[in-house]
Amino acid sequence: EAQYKALISKYASQNGLEYCALSALLQKESSFNKLIVSNPPPNTVNTGIGSPPSYNVTFSTGHGIGLTQVYIYPGKTSRPGGEFGMSKALTVQDLIDPDTSINAGSFFFGKLVKERKNNLREAYDDYQAGRGGNSDPATLSKYIDMYTSCKART
């Protein structure tokens, strides 16, 4: 968390989020690993193999990429950036960049928190499982525990 503290603070403030709400999102989604990929293989982006913008990450299945696990759908090599406050499509190369990932994820999460009237559990459910959410209750509880733990530290 420490290495991303300035970015978390910047984008939490910019998107109307509490620092700990965004920090817990990064912790739960990626354990603060900027190269993590969901739905392996691969488990991480290997920047030594292949080249940008995909680094040989195949998209026969969808993947969440980077710190905020922005999802790239099967058969696509990028994600339209509009819903994340970006004017261009987001690629693997973009999403392993901490600044871009935190910016995009916080923009989207901030919208969900506002839509859910500051109910972090419901907003995270929508973030994690899609609007209308249907996340595993243990996953939601873990996010809230991470948020609470962050609040106790700060």
Side-chain angles (χ1 to χ4, degrees):
E1 173 185 9
Q3 65 188 348
Y4 303 118
K5 187 172 186 170
L7 290 173
I8 295 168
S9 293
K10 173 184 175 180
Y11 290 117
S13 176
Q14 187 173 302
N15 291 292
L17 293 167
E18 291 179 68
Y19 174 90
C20 287
L22 184 54
S23 178
L25 181 128
L26 269 67
Q27 182 181 6
K28 180 68 184 88
E29 290 295 305
S30 66
S31 300
F32 300 106
N33 178 350
K34 71 178 186 172
L35 298 175
I36 198 160
V37 176
S38 68
N39 300 326
N43 293 321
T44 60
V45 175
N46 183 343
T47 57
I49 296 177
S51 59
S54 68
Y55 293 107
N56 286 358
V57 176
T58 59
F59 293 95
S60 56
T61 62
H63 295 288
I65 308 289
L67 291 167
T68 57
Q69 291 292 283
V70 171
Y71 198 78
I72 296 179
Y73 292 98
K76 306 289 183 189
T77 58
S78 65
R79 173 86 182 251
E83 68 183 311
F84 299 96
M86 304 285 176
S87 59
K88 69 178 205 82
L90 297 169
T91 65
V92 172
Q93 181 180 13
D94 297 320
L95 295 172
I96 63 172
D97 172 67
D99 191 280
T100 302
S101 181
I102 296 171
N103 185 3
S106 66
F107 181 87
F108 187 65
F109 190 51
K111 286 192 326 185
L112 295 173
V113 169
K114 286 178 190 115
E115 287 173 13
R116 292 300 192 157
K117 298 181 177 28
N118 294 318
N119 183 319
L120 292 178
R121 185 182 188 92
E122 289 180 5
Y124 182 71
D125 190 16
D126 286 349
Y127 187 93
Q128 210 268 333
R131 281 193 163 86
N134 192 16
S135 298
D136 175 34
T139 297
L140 299 175
S141 293
K142 186 72 172 166
Y143 168 76
I144 295 300
D145 290 347
M146 291 172 172
Y147 167 77
T148 303
S149 177
C150 175
K151 295 286 280 182
R153 289 190 313 270
T154 56

